[in-house]
């Protein structure tokens, strides 16, 4: 059993280019996941100096751990948007998702990309009365938007499906975009982390630990933006974590499924593997991560899958992504509600227009400054409360069974935690540098996780995933 995503078996063998000098550029894209690479691709012929940097390696963030579905049937979403806003907003969101699917098809065809792109029907299904009713309502809203999914009705079961959706291999796609961008002289620097951004005389100075990149325009495509203001994302979003595994099967149906019941389940096929997902939760809850993996294996009756991993994405309180200008010449794209393959693709088209000072029909709907209604805020209070528990988490979590082999101490006013394993002891500072939340130890993956905003650190405190920009290693 490999504790890693199935997509990571596919390797990018190009040499790693790390920034080792100061640089001036027209556009700096921070983050080389599907968002950053799709935008670089869209801008490739614009006669602009473009630079992409990634703290890790191209595609190795959240993008490498998705299930790789390209669908506009995304759970109960259109009826929620219609209720929160209006039917027009639902219509526009639907158009954006369909446009993104067409764009990926077009890119794959024009660039001759081999990324296992396959037409695959998308099914939504429900097995409880309440959720069956919600799904029937979703179908009615879809009908009003001109989409007529087929339906299957059974005893205690209801399903709708469409046949014009796709699946692909996300890393094959992103690595192909990287190759095209490199040929177009776009500079891509890996293992190059931005730790600060400052504006000076109409230009942004973006600091890595050793160098400065000066850019006219900056796009933050780092999944969770590492600056707080003026986005206020911690109160407009929460992180949802899910558990995924892949195992060999004789069946390969061109169908993918998502349940809309309280506990989401999802599955699709890739070559000889079936990829299944369950157990989604706000990262502030279900803190016994080892147990969560066990529940996934129990759910699908597979105790030794070939691959097993987890992933998290930003969920917004109004079901729409944030793809937006933040302030003059600073842009971001995030909050994809677990639909980042399509949303990153539409983000690349929207941001291209905004960067080139053109208007875009989705600009207002996805703006970071859009108004959020009171009902949305009320519904998100529980998530905000759950996340805030982590500020005092150390005290709350300390005696829990999953912390059995961890010793807590306080030295020079620093909260320390020590993990013991076969190698010896590993001490870290148990406080996330991002917003000072207490961390929890994920024994299954041997990583420290922030239950507020999903930063991750290895057993010795090295930062693996933001929004934290710093390590939490403790040097005696
Ligand atoms: C369980 C699960 C299943 C999913 N399945 C699907 C699916 O089937 N279909 C779908 O459409 N979507 C799916 N998604 C959503 C999708 O995976 C994400 O929304 C998408 O991959 C986000 O892409 P990104 O480029 O924004 O982020 P990332 O891929 O994380 O890229 C961000 C990059 O920024 C870099 N970075 C971060 N901080 C810095 C810094 N300070 N300096 C430099 N670089 C930095 C990171 O190293 C990273 O490489 C799923 C999500 C989850 C959680």
């Amino acid at each position: 059993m490999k504790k890693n995503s199935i997509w990571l078996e596919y390797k990018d063998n190009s040499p790693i280019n790390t920034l080792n000098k100061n640089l001036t550029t027209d556009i700096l894209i921070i983050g080389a996941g599907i968002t950053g690479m799709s935008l670089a691709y869209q801008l490739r012929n614009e006669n602009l100096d473009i630079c992409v940097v990634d703290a890790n390696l191209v595609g190795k963030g959240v993008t490498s751990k998705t299930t790789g579905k390209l669908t506009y049937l995304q759970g109960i979403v259109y009826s929620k948007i219609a209720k929160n806003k209006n039917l027009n907003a639902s219509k526009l969101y639907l158009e954006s998702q369909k446009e993104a699917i067409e764009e990926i098809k077009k890119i794959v065809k024009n660039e001759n990309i081999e990324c296992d792109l396959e037409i695959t029907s998308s099914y939504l299904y429900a097995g409880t009365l309440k959720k069956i009713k919600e799904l029937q309502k979703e179908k009615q809203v879809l009908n009003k938007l001109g989409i007529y999914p087929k339906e299957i009705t059974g005893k205690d079961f209801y399903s709708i499906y469409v046949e014009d959706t796709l699946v692909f291999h996300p890393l094959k796609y992103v690595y192909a975009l990287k190759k095209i961008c490199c040929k177009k002289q776009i500079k891509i620097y890996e293992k190059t982390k931005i730790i600060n951004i400052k504006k000076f005389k109409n230009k942004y100075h973006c600091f890595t630990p050793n160098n400065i990149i000066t850019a006219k325009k900056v796009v933050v495509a780092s999944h969770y933006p590492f600056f707080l203001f003026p986005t206020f994302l911690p109160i407009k979003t929460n992180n949802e974590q899910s558990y995924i595994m892949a195992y060999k099967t004789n069946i390969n149906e061109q169908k993918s499924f998502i349940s809309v019941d309280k506990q989401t389940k999802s599955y699709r096929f890739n070559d000889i593997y079936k990829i299944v997902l369950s157990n989604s939760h706000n990262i502030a809850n279900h803190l016994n991560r080892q147990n969560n993996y066990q529940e996934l294996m129990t759910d699908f009756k597979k105790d030794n899958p070939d691959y097993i991993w987890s992933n998290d994405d930003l969920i917004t309180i109004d079901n729409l992504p944030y793809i937006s200008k933040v302030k003059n010449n600073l842009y971001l794209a995030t909050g994809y509600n677990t639909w980042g393959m399509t949303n990153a693709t539409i983000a690349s088209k929207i941001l291209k227009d905004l960067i080139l000072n053109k208007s875009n029909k989705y600009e207002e709907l996805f703006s970071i400054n859009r108004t959020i209604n009171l009902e949305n805020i009320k519904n998100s209070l529980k998530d905000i409360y759950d996340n805030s528990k982590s500020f005092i988490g150390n005290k709350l979590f300390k005696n829990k069974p999953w912390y059995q082999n961890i010793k807590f101490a306080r030295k020079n006013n620093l909260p320390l935690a020590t993990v013991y394993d076969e190698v010896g002891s590993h001490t870290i500072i148990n406080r996330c540098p991002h917003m000072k939340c207490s961390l929890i130890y994920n024994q299954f993956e041997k990583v420290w996780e922030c239950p507020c905003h999903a930063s991750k650190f290895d057993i010795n405190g090295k930062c693996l995933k933001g929004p934290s920009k710093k390590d939490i290693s403790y040097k005696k």
Side-chain angles (χ1 to χ4, degrees), residues 237-256:
T237 60
N238 74 80
N239 281 72
E240 184 179 282
Q241 181 143 321
S242 305
Y243 301 82
I244 309 164
M245 59 184 182
Y247 50 86
K248 289 194 187 88
T249 170
N250 297 329
I251 312 156
N252 186 347
E253 291 179 296
Q254 287 184 324
K255 291 177 183 171
S256 68

Side-chain angles (χ1 to χ4, degrees), residues 360-422:
N360 184 289
K361 67 173 178 176
Y362 306 114
E363 185 177 347
E364 207 184 313
L365 187 67
F366 298 159
S367 165
I368 190 82
N369 298 320
R370 66 181 179 253
T371 44
I372 306 284
N373 72 29
L374 212 60
E375 190 64 20
N376 288 148
I377 295 173
K378 261 192 344 214
N379 291 341
S380 70
L381 285 180
K382 182 171 180 322
D383 285 317
I384 295 170
Y385 168 73
D386 286 344
N387 288 326
S388 59
K389 274 191 307 200
S390 307
F391 288 107
I392 46 163
N394 206 8
K395 289 191 187 70
L396 292 176
F397 307 153
K398 216 149 103 179
N399 298 321
K400 297 287 182 191
W402 63 88
Y403 266 162
Q404 267 166 16
N405 299 323
I406 296 168
K407 221 171 96 188
F408 295 94
R410 238 189 142 79
K411 255 192 191 157
N412 302 332
N413 223 11
L414 289 176
L416 303 181
T418 305
V419 178
Y420 298 88
D421 67 2
E422 22 349 303

Side-chain angles (χ1 to χ4, degrees), residues 41-195:
Y41 174 83
Q42 293 290 345
L43 291 168
R44 73 198 181 288
N45 293 327
E46 292 301 325
N47 204 16
L48 289 165
D49 251 353
I50 298 161
C51 171
V52 186
V53 292
D54 199 288
N56 189 1
L57 298 173
V58 170
K60 290 273 173 79
V62 176
T63 299
S64 65
K65 299 173 179 178
T66 136
T67 45
K69 297 183 195 137
L70 300 166
T71 179
Y72 56 90
L73 221 53
Q74 302 178 348
I76 308 284
V77 56
Y78 300 102
S79 43
K80 281 188 187 161
I81 299 172
K83 188 175 166 217
N84 285 335
K85 297 196 181 287
N86 49 53
L87 202 59
N88 266 343
S90 285
K91 186 166 175 282
L92 211 49
Y93 182 66
L94 173 68
E95 277 172 26
S96 73
Q97 301 308 291
K98 293 197 92 177
E99 188 178 327
I101 293 171
E102 287 310 310
E103 182 68 14
I104 291 174
K105 269 199 304 219
K106 190 176 97 190
I107 295 172
V108 168
K109 186 164 175 260
N110 290 352
E111 306 288 354
N112 217 356
I113 297 175
E114 283 178 16
C115 60
D116 309 337
L117 188 74
E118 271 182 27
I119 295 178
T120 300
S121 308
S122 293
Y123 286 71
L124 295 177
Y125 66 94
T128 59
L129 199 61
K130 181 167 176 261
K131 293 293 172 181
I132 288 174
K133 279 192 179 150
E134 282 181 27
L135 191 52
Q136 284 166 337
K137 189 155 169 248
E138 180 77 357
K139 182 175 176 287
Q140 286 166 12
V141 172
L142 280 162
N143 289 166
K144 286 185 194 160
L145 302 177
I147 303 289
Y148 300 93
K150 296 186 177 149
E151 54 185 346
I152 306 171
T153 311
K155 192 174 174 286
D156 306 328
F157 173 84
Y158 178 70
S159 174
I160 60 172
Y161 66 98
V162 292
E163 291 165 307
D164 56 346
T165 52
L166 305 162
V167 291
F168 73 164
H169 186 306
L171 277 189
K172 286 187 183 176
Y173 178 72
V174 169
Y175 291 162
L177 296 184
K178 176 187 175 189
K179 225 173 172 175
I180 299 162
C181 289
C182 286
K183 277 194 191 145
K184 288 280 179 181
Q185 312 306 327
I186 291 174
K187 300 178 197 82
I188 300 175
Y189 296 102
E190 295 170 284
K191 300 275 173 198
T192 301
K193 186 186 261 189
I194 299 298
I195 52 171

Side-chain angles (χ1 to χ4, degrees), residues 264-296:
T264 307
K265 282 199 172 75
S266 135
Y267 61 98
R268 62 160 282 195
F269 298 89
N270 177 258
D271 192 17
I272 55 167
Y273 292 98
K274 182 171 181 179
I275 300 170
V276 301
L277 171 155
S278 81
N279 228 348
S280 308
H281 59 81
N282 178 329
I283 50 161
N285 301 324
H286 298 256
L287 296 177
N288 188 347
R289 304 296 204 230
Q290 173 111 358
N291 215 26
N292 301 340
Y293 281 102
Q294 198 49 55
E295 278 176 19
L296 167 73

